[in-house]
């Protein structure tokens, strides 16, 4: 929160910097010759109006830092040093309930009126609080497309009033309902204009041969708490027919918004306008196809029959005009459209503040749930808008939402509960002084609220000492005006007291007009007269300074613009406006555009340079580096959104920030097939040991698309007995295979050895049969035995 103590400390540090920055004093280096010019140089500059102050100094020495003037002998009562101030004019407390005896005095924003007194360049701040009260009255106007394609939808909503009143009764005790319808302009080429189609545009159409004549917009039922009337009027309606696909819905929206008395909008109620259609709308300039060149005037044009009488006279309204009139009348617009039109109308919501879009079933059977969802969404957020914003005033916002953390650059809080209070700090700075006597006003209000903060602004551009200026004062030799300690001489006279005439010159005067010995007189850019330099005029800007050494055009430029248009040129150096830095003031210090939805600077993948994110993480892109399919944390970041959006689990589900942080489109499928090569497949394990799969794709439209399984893949684990039998069976199988292999190897080996043996035997027999010297050893043995036996027997006998 902004406090006077912090403000004083900031100014003290700033002034210390200004005194010590390279010896440069911005107040004395300027060209101020009057109190008003001094105050415009910088908010830290002050002017001394004391008569006898600085007699031997140059005129610009009266303009200096406040503490410097005091040190040099200027009494505090003569110092002109205005500061920006804030006065609270009306500060009624916030209400807690919207219905009951006090419903006409409900307050949802505090304070209600303030006054700002601003010195250019001097920033100040104020706070405001907003609360969505409970049981606030609701006015709902149902605006329906009655072209032929909506026939089944008309049949569905014939008893809508009773059911909707029952559901809304759970949210508010004060509910009113109204009804209107539209088709398109009854003229070519938008509708059938041949005579046979005038009374029955469906003439000759076999599927539905009878319908009512084409009309632009028809107000049927003003807002009422008698829901039976709604049912009765809806049951009387019949569809019509037009020629082209787009409808004239924007004509109808504008009339429903601006015809306040006919519709019956209450000042003390939320205004909901439900727009139900199954096709795209005609936009501004489409009317020229039918010869309508007159732009829409933004006024109510309902005739005695409550029909739009200017349908065939004026063009369709533009988105800008539509947004202006909706905001002016505090109307929340709810687009209830079919799925194929969702993206188109979603783009419209970015251009029209206070609008939401919901998907309508083909036969409108979900319309009640759609309205309840949209209403809860509207009531869960607060967003500030500024109207009649003066061009010369800078505004910056800091939101403090339900978590108590300040969010610089934000003017919106979401995920709120009814009755919660949020606050916003608003910093204000005037850049310049408007013409004298000009007072400005602007308004800050939450979107769709009747409550507002009115801010009146006046500017501190004049010095109080100027009120006592003396014409033809004796202090100015009676030929000049004495004002704030200085003389403003009549034409042709010069000097601190108008003591010299133009054209007088001497060597003494000339030496006083040189910045240093050897330098040119008046820096070569002026003439020396009466001990003072009179600087030449230049077509490029102003030349000034005691020795004409300075100008306001010799500074750095950006794209040909001096100081980038965000600063002032002082003596060759750009003095940047608040919020800009750099040699040429082309670098913005604003960081609000660099914060991603999760509150991180550049999504933690880059740095904020000159108000824009420069992504340093390879593969990261987007305005806040939020898109990065190839980043290591891409799957982890998107996983949290999958968990909270699909299964209401995970970290984001606990702190109710899922809807604010997870805005990607999520498509659920039964089986995941990653056909797109640019898509990243992400897989993670859930708490139940299941496997969840999804793909992450950055579409060419710039939108992130997540395609996820409807349910995680969970396989049943095998039993212990099955595992044991599988292991034993595997071991036995391996053993049998090894034995069979060993047996095969042994058999092959034995057969080879046996074949070798057989071959050796055959070869041996061959040798015995073919060698004459070979004798069988067995035969020899028996022969020897026979000889021995004969010898033995002979010896015996």
């Amino acid at each position: 929160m902004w406090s006077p103590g912090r403000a004083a400390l900031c100014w003290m540090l700033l002034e210390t910097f200004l005194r010590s920055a390279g010896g440069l004093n911005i107040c004395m280096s300027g060209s101020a010759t009057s109190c008003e010019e001094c105050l415009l140089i910088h908010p830290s500059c002050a002017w001394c109006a004391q008569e006898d102050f600085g007699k031997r100094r140059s005129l610009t020495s009266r303009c200096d830092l406040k503490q410097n003037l005091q040190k040099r002998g200027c009494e505090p009562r003569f110092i002109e040093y205005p500061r920006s101030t804030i006065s609270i004019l009306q500060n009624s407390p916030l209400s807690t309930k919207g219905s009951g005896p006090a419903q006409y005095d409900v307050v949802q924003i505090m304070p209600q009126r303030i006054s700002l007194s601003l010195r250019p360049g001097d920033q100040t701040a104020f706070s405001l609080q907003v609360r969505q009260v409970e049981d606030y009255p609701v006015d709902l106007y149902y605006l329906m497309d009655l072209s032929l394609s909506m026939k089944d939808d008309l049949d569905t909503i014939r008893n809508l009033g009773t059911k909707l009143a029952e559901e809304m009764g759970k949210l508010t005790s004060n509910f009113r309902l109204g009804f209107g319808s539209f088709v398109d302009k009854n003229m070519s080429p938008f509708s059938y204009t041949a005579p046979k189609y005038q009374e029955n545009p469906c003439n000759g159409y076999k599927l539905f041969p009878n319908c009512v004549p084409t009309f632009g917009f028809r107000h049927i039922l003003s807002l009422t708490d008698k829901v039976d009337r709604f049912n009765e009027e809806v049951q009387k309606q019949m569809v019509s027919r037009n020629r082209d696909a787009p409808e004239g819905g924007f004509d109808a929206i504008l009339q429903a918004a601006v015809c306040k008395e006919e519709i019956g909008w209450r000042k003390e109620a939320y205004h909901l306008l439900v727009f139900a259609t199954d096709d795209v709308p005609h936009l501004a300039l489409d009317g020229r196809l039918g010869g309508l060149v007159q732009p829409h005037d933004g006024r109510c044009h309902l005739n005695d029959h409550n029909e739009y009488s200017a349908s065939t006279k004026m063009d369709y309204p533009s988105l800008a005009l539509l947004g202006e009139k909706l905001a002016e009348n505090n109307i929340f617009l709810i687009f209830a459209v079919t799925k194929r039109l969702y993206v188109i109308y979603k783009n419209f919501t970015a251009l029209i503040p206070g609008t939401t879009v919901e998907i309508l079933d083909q036969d409108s059977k979900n319309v009640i749930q759609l309205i309840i969802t949209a209403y809860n969404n509207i009531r869960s957020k607060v967003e500030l808008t500024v109207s009649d914003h003066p061009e010369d005033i800078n505004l910056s916002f800091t939101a403090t939402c339900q978590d108590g953390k300040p969010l610089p650059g934000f003017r919106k809080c979401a995920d709120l509960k009814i009755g919660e209070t949020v606050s916003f700090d608003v910093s204000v700075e005037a850049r310049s002084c408007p013409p004298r006597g000009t007072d400005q006003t602007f308004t800050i209000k939450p979107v769709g609220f009747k409550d507002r903060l009115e801010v009146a602004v006046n500017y501190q551009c004049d010095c109080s000492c100027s009120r006592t200026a003396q014409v033809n004062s004796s202090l100015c030799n009676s030929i000049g005006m004495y004002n704030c300690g200085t003389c403003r001489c009549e034409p042709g006279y010069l000097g601190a007291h108008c003591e010299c005439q133009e054209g007088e010159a001497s060597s003494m005067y000339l030496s006083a007009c040189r910045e240093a010995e050897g330098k040119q007189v008046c820096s070569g850019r002026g003439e020396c007269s009466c001990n003072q330099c009179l600087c030449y005029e230049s077509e490029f800007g102003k030349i000034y300074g005691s020795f004409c050494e300075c100008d306001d055009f010799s500074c750095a430029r950006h794209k040909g613009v001096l100081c980038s248009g965000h600063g002032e040129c002082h003596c060759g150096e750009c003095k940047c406006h608040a919020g800009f830095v750099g040699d040429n003031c082309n670098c913005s210090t604003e960081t609000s555009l660099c914060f991603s939805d999760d509150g991180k600077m550049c999504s933690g993948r880059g740095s904020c340079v000159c108000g824009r994110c420069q992504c340093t993480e390879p593969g990261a892109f987007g305005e806040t580096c939020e898109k990065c399919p190839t980043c290591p944390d891409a799957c982890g970041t998107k996983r949290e959104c999958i968990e909270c959006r699909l299964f209401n689990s995970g970290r984001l589900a606990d702190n109710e920030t899922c809807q604010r942080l997870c805005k990607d489109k999520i498509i659920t499928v039964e089986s995941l097939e990653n056909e797109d090569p640019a898509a990243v497949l992400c897989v993670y394990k859930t708490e139940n040991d299941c496997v969840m799969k999804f793909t992450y794709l950055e579409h060419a439209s710039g939108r992130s698309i997540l395609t996820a399984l409807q349910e995680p893949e969970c396989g049943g684990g095998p039993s212990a007995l099955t595992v044991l039998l599988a292991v034993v069976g595997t071991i036995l199988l391996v053993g049998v295979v090894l034995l069979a292999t060993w047996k095969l190897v042994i058999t092959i080996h034995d057969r080879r050895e046996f074949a070798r043996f057989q071959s050796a035997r055959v070869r041996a027999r061959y040798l015995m049969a073919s060698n004459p010297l070979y004798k069988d050893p067995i035969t020899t043995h028996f022969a020897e035995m026979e000889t021995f036996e004969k010898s033995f027997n002979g010896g015996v006998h």
Side-chain angles (χ1 to χ4, degrees):
M1 297 288 291
W2 185 271
S3 66
R6 289 178 61 187
L9 178 61
C10 291
W11 277 115
M12 188 180 301
L13 294 174
L14 175 61
E15 292 176 356
T16 303
F17 170 77
L18 291 172
R19 291 197 307 272
S20 60
L24 174 67
N25 185 323
I26 190 173
C27 303
M28 296 185 66
S29 64
S31 58
T33 59
S34 68
C35 180
E36 286 77 12
E37 291 180 3
C38 176
L39 299 185
L40 287 175
I41 292 176
H42 195 272
S44 65
C45 297
W47 177 270
C48 181
Q50 188 172 320
E51 177 188 343
D52 58 351
F53 177 76
K55 286 188 174 181
R56 296 186 180 183
R57 297 179 182 270
S58 64
L59 293 176
T60 54
S61 65
R62 287 183 177 270
C63 184
D64 202 345
L65 300 175
K66 180 180 179 181
Q67 57 268 34
N68 288 355
L69 294 176
Q70 291 177 330
K71 289 179 182 178
R72 288 163 47 200
C74 186
E75 298 181 20
R77 62 192 179 99
F78 290 110
I79 295 178
E80 295 284 341
Y81 186 54
R83 301 298 301 271
S84 296
T85 58
I86 298 174
S87 300
I88 298 178
L89 306 180
Q90 184 178 350
N91 194 28
S92 302
L94 295 172
S95 303
T96 56
K97 195 171 183 179
S99 296
Q103 73 176 69
Y104 298 106
D105 299 319
V106 172
V107 177
Q108 297 185 95
I109 187 171
M110 184 179 74
Q112 296 81 42
R113 291 174 55 234
I114 64 173
S115 175
L116 303 179
S117 183
L118 301 180
R119 175 181 174 179
D122 185 16
Q123 188 178 84
T124 187
F126 61 88
S127 297
L128 62 94
Q129 293 182 318
V130 182
R131 177 189 295 162
Q132 296 250 34
V133 300
E134 298 179 4
D135 197 22
Y136 200 71
V138 176
D139 287 346
L140 188 149
Y141 192 78
Y142 195 88
L143 185 58
M144 184 173 182
D145 177 3
L146 284 188
S147 59
L148 191 57
S149 58
M150 293 286 286
K151 182 182 181 304
D152 55 345
D153 301 78
L154 180 60
D155 295 336
T156 301
I157 71 162
R158 293 194 186 277
N159 295 312
L160 172 67
T162 304
K163 297 177 182 178
L164 182 58
E166 291 176 358
E167 292 298 323
M168 290 298 294
K170 301 174 183 178
L171 303 175
T172 176
S173 61
N174 196 336
F175 175 68
R176 298 199 310 170
L177 188 61
F179 183 72
S181 61
F182 66 91
V183 182
D184 206 345
K185 295 182 183 296
N186 190 15
M187 61 185 300
S188 180
F190 313 114
S191 300
Y192 294 95
T193 56
K196 67 176 183 178
Y197 295 122
Q198 288 300 310
E199 296 300 324
N200 181 13
C202 297
N203 189 0
Y205 188 64
K206 295 181 180 180
L207 296 179
F208 195 79
N210 296 306
C211 59
V212 298
T214 305
F215 58 92
F217 164 65
R218 181 177 295 154
H219 168 52
I220 298 170
L221 178 66
S222 298
L223 292 163
T224 177
D225 56 1
K226 298 178 175 59
V227 295
D228 291 339
R229 286 281 316 280
F230 181 91
N231 296 338
E232 292 172 5
E233 294 299 332
V234 173
Q235 289 172 3
K236 297 177 184 177
Q237 303 308 308
M238 291 182 63
V239 294
S240 183
R241 186 186 182 196
N242 60 323
R243 172 176 284 176
D244 59 350
E247 319 290 5
F250 279 8
D251 268 343
I253 291 175
L254 193 137
Q255 292 302 299
V258 299
C259 299
K260 296 182 288 186
E261 295 182 1
E262 292 80 354
I263 303 298
W265 296 115
R266 292 177 293 179
K267 184 178 179 181
E268 298 79 15
Y270 279 114
H271 301 160
L272 304 184
L273 179 57
V274 179
F275 178 80
T277 185
D278 64 348
D279 223 316
V280 295
H282 277 295
L283 304 176
L285 302 182
D286 284 359
R288 298 195 175 191
L289 296 172
L292 301 179
V293 296
Q294 180 181 350
H296 205 293
D297 60 6
R299 298 179 181 177
C300 178
H301 293 281
L302 292 184
N303 58 22
D304 294 339
H305 301 290
N306 281 330
E307 292 191 358
Y308 177 37
S309 60
S311 178
T312 57
K313 299 176 182 178
M314 290 188 294
D315 193 8
Y316 299 96
S318 65
L319 289 172
L321 179 62
L322 209 59
E324 176 187 338
K325 294 304 176 181
L326 289 170
E328 185 179 301
N329 294 283
N330 306 318
I331 294 176
F332 290 104
L333 176 61
I334 302 172
F335 288 124
V337 298
T338 52
K339 187 174 183 180
R340 70 181 181 87
L341 302 175
Y342 179 83
V343 174
I344 295 175
Y345 281 89
K346 185 66 175 177
N347 292 334
F348 287 154
T349 64
L351 302 173
I352 307 176
T355 59
T356 59
V357 58
E358 299 291 341
I359 296 177
L360 182 70
D361 288 349
Q362 289 294 338
D363 56 358
S364 296
K365 63 182 179 182
N366 70 327
V367 66
I368 293 179
Q369 185 57 44
L370 180 152
I371 293 173
I372 299 299
T373 300
Y375 175 75
N376 289 331
N377 183 36
I378 290 170
R379 292 278 275 160
S380 69
K381 61 186 177 183
V382 170
E383 182 176 4
L384 298 184
T385 61
V386 181
S387 56
D388 302 322
H389 185 179
E391 294 183 356
D392 61 342
I393 291 181
N394 288 335
L395 294 177
S396 60
F397 293 81
T398 298
T400 303
C401 302
Q402 65 273 28
D403 58 1
K405 296 180 181 179
L407 300 171
F410 281 76
R411 58 173 72 180
K412 176 180 178 181
C413 286
D415 303 323
L416 301 177
K417 296 179 180 178
I418 302 299
E420 288 186 335
T421 303
V422 295
S423 62
F424 299 87
D425 292 335
V426 186
S427 296
V428 189
E429 178 186 351
R431 295 194 301 270
S432 60
C433 283
R436 289 190 177 183
T438 301
D439 289 331
Q440 305 276 15
T441 59
F442 62 93
T443 302
I444 300 176
K445 65 186 293 289
V447 175
F449 283 48
K450 72 174 182 66
D451 304 78
R452 63 192 63 205
L453 169 61
E454 297 178 356
V455 183
V457 182
N458 62 75
Y459 299 82
Q460 297 195 33
C461 297
D462 295 326
C463 297
S464 59
C465 57
S466 296
R467 302 169 189 164
T468 58
Q470 303 173 20
V471 180
N472 296 326
S473 170
S474 60
L475 296 173
C476 304
N477 290 306
S478 300
I479 49 175
M481 175 187 291
Y482 181 76
N483 185 22
C484 294
T486 62
C487 286
R488 295 183 182 179
C489 305
E490 296 290 340
Y493 292 87
L494 302 171
H497 300 284
C498 307
E499 69 275 17
C500 298
Q501 287 185 294
E502 292 183 3
E504 296 179 358
S506 68
S507 58
M508 178 184 68
Y509 291 153
L510 291 176
S511 62
C513 292
R514 288 188 174 91
E515 187 174 8
E517 190 66 31
K519 292 289 187 73
Q520 287 182 299
V521 174
C522 297
S523 304
R525 303 200 295 180
E527 295 180 354
C528 185
S529 179
C530 195
N531 206 24
Q532 291 182 345
C533 283
L534 299 179
C535 303
Y536 297 137
E537 293 184 358
S538 173
E539 60 180 333
F540 301 108
K542 183 178 181 180
I543 300 174
Y544 59 91
S546 301
F547 308 102
C548 303
E549 74 279 11
C550 295
D551 61 57
D552 62 0
F553 53 83
S554 298
C555 289
R557 298 171 182 264
H558 178 66
K559 295 183 178 179
V561 180
L562 189 68
C563 298
S564 305
H566 300 304
E568 306 294 335
C569 182
H570 286 287
C571 206
E573 183 178 353
C574 285
K575 304 301 178 185
C576 303
H577 294 154
F580 293 90
V581 295
D583 293 339
N584 53 13
C585 303
N586 69 325
C587 185
S588 172
T589 60
E590 179 65 41
T591 61
S592 60
L593 296 178
C594 293
F595 283 94
S596 56
D597 289 339
D598 59 2
K600 294 182 180 179
M601 180 76 72
C602 298
S603 304
R605 300 183 180 121
S607 56
C608 190
V609 179
C610 297
R612 293 288 184 272
C613 280
Q614 290 188 358
C615 305
T616 56
E617 183 78 21
F621 63 98
E623 292 186 358
T624 58
C625 305
E626 74 280 7
K627 303 180 184 300
C628 188
T630 60
C631 287
D633 62 339
C635 286
T637 303
K638 300 303 179 183
R639 167 188 173 176
E640 295 178 342
C641 292
I642 292 289
E643 289 176 338
C644 75
R645 288 273 297 276
L646 297 185
F647 308 113
N648 194 29
S649 62
R651 182 179 63 87
L652 298 183
D654 296 334
N655 56 19
E656 300 181 354
T657 58
C658 183
Q659 294 299 323
R660 179 167 62 90
L661 298 181
C662 300
K663 300 178 180 179
D664 299 334
K665 181 179 181 181
I666 298 180
I667 302 172
T668 56
V669 294
E670 293 183 358
S671 61
L672 194 62
E673 297 179 0
N674 191 8
E675 298 178 352
D676 195 328
V680 177
L681 177 63
C682 300
V683 181
Y684 69 89
K685 197 171 185 180
T686 66
E687 296 177 352
N688 300 326
D689 291 332
C690 298
V691 175
M692 183 63 187
K693 298 180 181 179
F694 65 92
T695 60
Y696 169 29
L697 174 66
E698 291 295 342
H699 195 264
S701 63
R703 192 175 186 187
S704 300
I705 298 177
L706 305 178
T707 304
L709 292 174
Q710 291 180 349
E711 296 291 339
E713 295 178 345
C714 300
S719 62
L721 179 60
T722 303
V723 173
L724 179 61
L725 292 176
V727 171
V728 172
T730 302
I731 294 173
L732 290 175
L733 179 61
V734 171
V736 170
V737 171
L738 290 176
L739 287 173
T741 303
W742 177 80
K743 180 64 177 176
L744 178 61
V745 172
I746 293 300
T747 301
I748 294 172
H749 179 268
D750 289 346
R751 288 182 178 179
R752 287 179 179 175
E753 290 297 322
F754 180 73
R756 192 179 296 117
F757 171 73
Q758 289 288 86
S759 176
R761 287 186 60 190
V762 171
R763 194 164 46 250
R765 289 177 181 174
Y766 170 76
L767 291 174
M768 287 186 293
S770 59
N771 189 353
L773 300 179
Y774 177 77
K775 293 183 178 181
D776 191 333
I778 300 176
T779 304
T780 303
H781 170 72
F782 283 109
E784 290 177 351
M785 288 293 293
E786 187 177 349
T787 303
F788 173 75
E789 186 178 349
K790 288 180 179 179
S791 298
F792 179 76
N793 290 333
V796 175
H797 293 289

